Amino acid sequence: MIEMIQVNHQFAIGKKGKERVVPVLHDIDLHVKQGEIVAIVGRSGSGKSTLLNLMSGYIRPTSGTIRVADQEVTSLSEGEWANFRLAHLGFMFQSFQLIPSMTAFENAELPLVLKGIGVTQRKKRVMELLEQVGVAEYAGHYPGELSGGQQQRVSVARSLILNPPIVLADEPTGSLDSDNERQLLSLIQHLNQDRGTTFVLITHDEQVASIAHRTVSLKDGYLLNADKKEGIFAHEIH
Amino acid sequence: MKFTDQFRFVRQNMKKNKTRLFMTVLATAMGCTFLIVLASVGFGLQKSIVDQMVVDRMVTAIDIYGIESENEVDRVIGAKNIEYLRSVDHVKAVTYRNYVQQPLNPTVDGAAASSNGTVNVDFDAETKAGFGLSSGRLPQKPDEVVIGFNIRETREGASEGEGNKPKADTPPAKEWLGKVMSLQVRQLAEDGTEQTATIPVTIVGISEKPSREWETDTFVYIGNEILTRIESFTQTQWGAMLLPADKDNPDSANGNQPLGLQDPRQYNSVQAIADGANHVKGIAEEIREKGYYSHSIANELKQVNLVFLIMKIGLGFVGTIAVLIASIGIFNTMTMAVTERAQDIGIMKAIGAHPSTIRRIFLLESSMIGLLGAIIGTAVAYVISIAVNIGLPLVIEGFMEERVPEDFIFSLIPPYLAAIAFLISLGVALLSGSRPAKRATRIDVLRALRRDI
């Protein structure tokens, strides 16, 4: 489903003309199968978010090839990436990233609006999903009027509204208490089992990693041996 | 993304800062109003002045005054010249006005008409040229005539011994339509006695009301057949009366006697009517080469219109500067809007908004501002234009003691001026919004999500 072959990435920092190149990812080879939940773990600065941003198309690799949903995405233009995201990807963010001036309903329906789906179909689909994630009664509320857990559920509804085959989640439970974290993880497992949705989760959290079929670890931009689930956190800690 | 959804987005966004929106729309509206009102002064003055010039005159008419000749007699327009003028390309008719050279004292049902003359015209040519009638029709039979619009004025009152009645009390000339008018033709016999013949004619048409208030038309217009009857009685051209012989010097009158029927005729008030205003210049040049003295209102109009065209362009240019100044406001508003909504734009891009969708939303917003400004500006411009046309003559009369001619307009907004101003405002708004819109598409998703923009 997602294939990264010899992907390298480096940032240029500093003033123009006096930039300093900082390598972030080195020779990443990663394969995520369809229907898999993969957790990417690692310390801060290890390159986890950069890896996810490469999969999302927010940044382009310095070298290497990325294939998502059987499509070579490395050379897509910005416009093509926009269409590709709408067709194949759902996104969950640590800080929910809801638009403050829109209600929960409007935030959740945004991908449908961008795709040009009609009003009647949108209303039905959004209310079903808000019901499913348990925030239907807050449909008319603005993000500022919702708790962190409720906001994340709206964000989840938005990420799933177009039934994407792949969901990329950056620290999805980072802003949630343990109860809400548990409920979200349960929802992710459910969706994975019922719909076969592929999840790539970036996390620090062992509990989040525990629902993954496979956990891969990043250290200083290098992908460590990732086939065995056990012992990775112990390895990181020591 | 559907247009209705883009429109909904724009409406939501515009509601976020109503004061800023109001001020921007106000600036655009003021610019648009300024542009229209300034240009409308050019249009208004042009129309008023041109109307004053062309009133009662056709732009397709070329006045023929005479023909170049060393011999004074040959300078007048004769029958041959009329024939030539008729043969010129694109001349659809040649008209003339020849006065019967004696008063025919026309009466209808015993009542005298206040006619101040009888005019011979070529009704076939007048039909083609478009003789202006207020009622009735042009003559089709030999004994039919057209009478002037004001032929019943003044003398009606006088005949009743009440002096001149106000014009409002004068019965309309069209009441005489279909009635028989008697024309009295007089001539001196050889023995010096005056002989009279009465020619009955039928009134079939009433001429157009003169466009100027002080003008009156009290003529009787007759065709060539009636003129022939008059001349066959008088045996002189244009029905002129012979001069009485001086008893002391019987030969003195002979040299001044009117022209006889066998003498060459002189035609007056000759006009060549072109079949289109665009042919006037060509005809005028062609007949000038043949030595004809001519003048056409089209020549004057061309120069006047050129002056006003330059004036309108100048005024429009000044007005456009006002719209351009307003565009700075739109640019500022849109730039602020992009900055304020950078995070929202980033989120939209992160989940799959196409850059062109983002651009369209912002362009739609700036064009909405331009549209609102243009609508309000155009409406206000019309109100100002009406107020100027009503108020300025009163101000001039009140403070300068000058009377503004009736129907004179200072400001005129033709629909195409409003449309042009509308398009300029809209175009400038779109142009002002294009750079901020482009900037919106370039917002970096990661920076926006980190909220460090």
Side-chain angles (χ1 to χ4, degrees):
Chain A
M1 201 69 184
I2 300 173
E3 207 174 353
M4 300 181 93
I5 304 158
Q6 286 294 299
V7 171
N8 288 280
H9 190 70
Q10 55 192 34
F11 288 118
I13 56 169
K15 284 185 181 176
K16 205 173 180 182
K18 294 179 181 175
E19 296 101 336
R20 190 163 59 85
V21 173
V22 180
V24 186
L25 293 173
H26 307 273
D27 301 328
I28 301 293
D29 282 309
L30 176 67
H31 300 265
V32 179
K33 293 174 195 160
Q34 187 175 351
E36 216 179 3
I37 301 177
V38 174
I40 299 172
V41 298
R43 286 178 176 168
S44 294
S46 60
K48 305 186 296 293
S49 293
T50 305
L51 193 66
L52 200 74
N53 289 336
L54 285 168
M55 291 178 189
S56 313
Y58 300 153
I59 51 175
R60 292 170 190 275
T62 311
S63 66
T65 305
I66 303 171
R67 295 179 70 82
V68 181
D70 296 328
Q71 189 173 340
E72 153 78 64
V73 293
T74 327
S75 56
L76 291 184
S77 69
E78 205 180 340
E80 288 168 336
W81 252 117
N83 294 334
F84 186 81
R85 281 183 207 122
L86 271 185
H88 299 283
L89 303 177
F91 299 90
M92 291 183 198
F93 304 98
Q94 181 180 1
S95 49
F96 323 129
Q97 302 294 0
L98 299 177
I99 294 178
S101 58
M102 290 182 177
T103 61
F105 181 94
E106 288 167 341
N107 267 291
E109 79 166 345
L110 193 53
L112 294 172
V113 173
L114 292 173
K115 206 162 186 188
I117 309 291
V119 178
T120 320
Q121 214 180 328
R122 279 192 332 232
K123 195 172 179 183
K124 186 168 173 274
R125 178 89 187 104
V126 172
M127 288 315 292
E128 271 174 13
L129 207 55
L130 289 179
E131 192 84 47
Q132 209 175 327
V133 296
V135 285
E137 58 189 301
Y138 304 108
H141 289 231
Y142 288 92
E145 299 163 356
L146 301 174
S147 70
Q150 288 164 339
Q151 285 187 56
Q152 187 59 300
R153 284 158 196 249
V154 175
S155 171
V156 168
R158 184 180 64 190
S159 68
L160 301 172
I161 197 87
L162 287 170
N163 289 326
I166 303 164
V167 174
L168 306 176
D170 189 0
E171 306 276 6
T173 59
S175 304
L176 299 180
D177 59 31
S178 54
D179 276 353
N180 279 313
E181 179 180 335
R182 207 168 37 252
Q183 284 175 23
L184 179 62
L185 294 178
S186 158
L187 182 67
I188 289 172
Q189 281 183 304
H190 230 74
L191 287 165
N192 175 255
Q193 284 160 13
D194 296 350
R195 299 185 188 175
T197 310
T198 305
F199 282 88
V200 177
L201 311 171
I202 300 287
T203 185
H204 281 107
D205 190 335
E206 198 168 349
Q207 200 184 338
V208 175
S210 70
I211 67 159
H213 300 131
R214 190 156 59 99
T215 304
V216 295
S217 177
L218 272 173
K219 189 179 180 186
D220 299 331
Y222 291 96
L223 199 63
L224 299 180
N225 186 353
D227 288 333
K228 288 185 180 175
K229 199 169 153 183
E230 297 81 13
I232 285 174
F233 280 93
H235 171 79
E236 287 294 308
I237 292 160
H238 293 108
Chain B
M1 192 173 182
K2 289 183 174 175
F3 179 77
T4 47
D5 290 316
Q6 290 175 22
F7 188 71
R8 185 166 58 90
F9 261 62
V10 169
R11 274 186 59 198
Q12 279 179 350
N13 292 336
M14 287 171 86
K15 282 179 187 171
K16 283 179 189 169
N17 198 329
K18 287 180 184 169
T19 311
R20 192 172 66 201
L21 173 73
F22 173 76
M23 297 307 283
T24 316
V25 170
L26 183 67
T28 314
M30 284 169 71
C32 185
T33 303
F34 194 61
L35 167 62
I36 296 176
V37 170
L38 268 187
S40 79
V41 173
F43 280 97
L45 292 180
Q46 182 182 18
K47 186 179 185 318
S48 297
I49 289 167
V50 168
D51 280 356
Q52 295 287 319
M53 284 171 64
V54 300
V55 70
D56 288 345
R57 295 162 77 183
M58 287 187 295
V59 287
T60 51
I62 303 164
D63 295 316
I64 317 287
Y65 296 117
I67 187 162
E68 202 178 330
S69 173
E70 287 178 10
N71 180 354
E72 197 176 327
V73 177
D74 293 340
R75 285 179 199 158
V76 299
I77 306 292
K80 278 185 181 176
N81 304 118
I82 298 282
E83 281 308 308
Y84 162 72
L85 290 169
R86 279 180 184 145
S87 69
V88 174
D89 276 351
H90 298 297
V91 170
K92 68 174 179 182
V94 177
T95 63
Y96 49 79
R97 296 272 195 277
N98 293 312
Y99 294 88
V100 173
Q101 292 176 2
Q102 66 166 290
L104 298 181
N105 301 323
T107 55
V108 175
D109 295 340
S114 66
S115 170
N116 63 354
T118 306
V119 181
N120 162 236
V121 298
D122 179 352
F123 279 118
D124 288 340
E126 296 290 348
T127 306
K128 289 177 193 166
F131 188 97
L133 290 175
S134 61
S135 53
R137 58 171 174 80
L138 286 177
Q140 289 162 358
K141 293 177 185 167
D143 65 336
E144 290 178 342
V145 297
V146 169
I147 57 172
F149 185 85
N150 310 94
I151 200 160
R152 298 186 71 182
E153 285 178 9
T154 314
R155 201 175 288 186
E156 279 290 305
S159 67
E160 289 163 18
E162 296 166 9
N164 286 348
K165 275 188 176 182
K167 286 181 182 178
D169 294 342
T170 306
K174 70 176 178 182
E175 283 181 3
W176 278 358
L177 273 179
K179 294 204 171 185
V180 173
M181 175 179 263
S182 297
L183 304 174
Q184 312 290 328
V185 189
R186 292 171 297 136
Q187 185 55 293
L188 292 177
E190 283 179 11
D191 58 3
T193 57
E194 191 175 291
Q195 293 188 331
T196 306
T198 301
I199 301 174
V201 293
T202 308
I203 299 166
V204 293
I206 314 295
S207 73
E208 227 169 28
K209 185 182 179 183
S211 48
R212 290 194 174 96
E213 225 176 288
W214 62 86
E215 283 180 345
T216 54
D217 182 1
T218 57
F219 290 116
V220 175
Y221 297 91
I222 60 168
N224 292 332
E225 293 84 355
I226 296 171
L227 178 71
T228 308
R229 286 173 68 185
I230 292 170
E231 288 181 339
S232 66
F233 178 74
T234 61
Q235 289 300 308
T236 54
Q237 274 188 32
W238 314 120
M241 281 183 77
L242 295 166
L243 296 172
D246 190 337
K247 286 174 185 172
D248 300 331
N249 185 6
D251 296 334
S252 65
N254 292 346
N256 297 320
Q257 288 296 0
L259 296 172
L261 296 178
Q262 71 285 355
D263 293 320
R265 281 179 186 271
Q266 176 184 341
Y267 288 83
N268 297 306
S269 305
V270 179
Q271 282 190 327
I273 313 296
D275 58 10
N278 52 332
H279 292 133
V280 170
K281 194 182 168 192
I283 294 168
E285 279 172 4
E286 188 176 335
I287 63 174
R288 195 178 299 127
E289 280 175 17
K290 296 278 182 186
Y292 285 86
Y293 300 117
S294 70
H295 174 263
S296 156
I297 187 70
N299 295 344
E300 285 176 45
L301 280 181
K302 201 176 171 186
Q303 289 174 8
V304 170
N305 284 336
L306 180 68
V307 170
F308 275 102
L309 178 68
I310 294 166
M311 182 180 171
K312 284 185 286 188
I313 290 172
L315 291 172
F317 180 71
V318 174
T320 306
I321 291 174
V323 179
L324 288 174
I325 292 169
S327 76
I328 297 170
I330 299 176
F331 177 81
N332 195 32
T333 296
M334 294 312 299
T335 305
M336 295 277 281
V338 170
T339 308
E340 283 172 1
R341 289 178 224 149
Q343 280 81 28
D344 299 357
I345 297 164
I347 293 167
M348 286 175 72
K349 284 181 78 176
I351 61 174
H354 201 282
S356 63
T357 305
I358 306 278
R359 188 171 63 243
R360 275 203 302 272
I361 288 171
F362 280 94
L363 282 179
L364 190 61
E365 187 166 336
S366 62
S367 55
M368 286 283 287
I369 292 171
L371 194 70
L372 276 172
I375 290 170
I376 295 168
T378 308
V380 172
Y382 271 104
V383 172
I384 291 175
S385 176
I386 292 165
V388 163
N389 288 331
I390 294 171
L392 210 53
L394 297 176
V395 171
I396 291 171
E397 278 181 40
F399 292 98
M400 299 176 187
E401 293 176 0
E402 290 280 348
R403 189 171 159 74
V404 178
E406 206 174 312
D407 298 333
F408 193 92
I409 50 171
F410 291 91
S411 166
L412 172 73
I413 306 175
Y416 73 88
L417 170 62
I420 288 171
F422 203 89
L423 288 176
I424 288 176
S425 301
L426 205 60
V428 165
L430 267 172
L431 215 62
S432 313
S434 63
R435 199 174 160 82
K438 200 172 178 184
R439 210 184 122 205
T441 64
R442 288 179 179 166
I443 282 175
D444 184 71
V445 175
L446 290 179
R447 284 185 66 195
L449 295 184
R450 283 199 299 267
R451 301 195 184 259
D452 61 354
I453 283 179

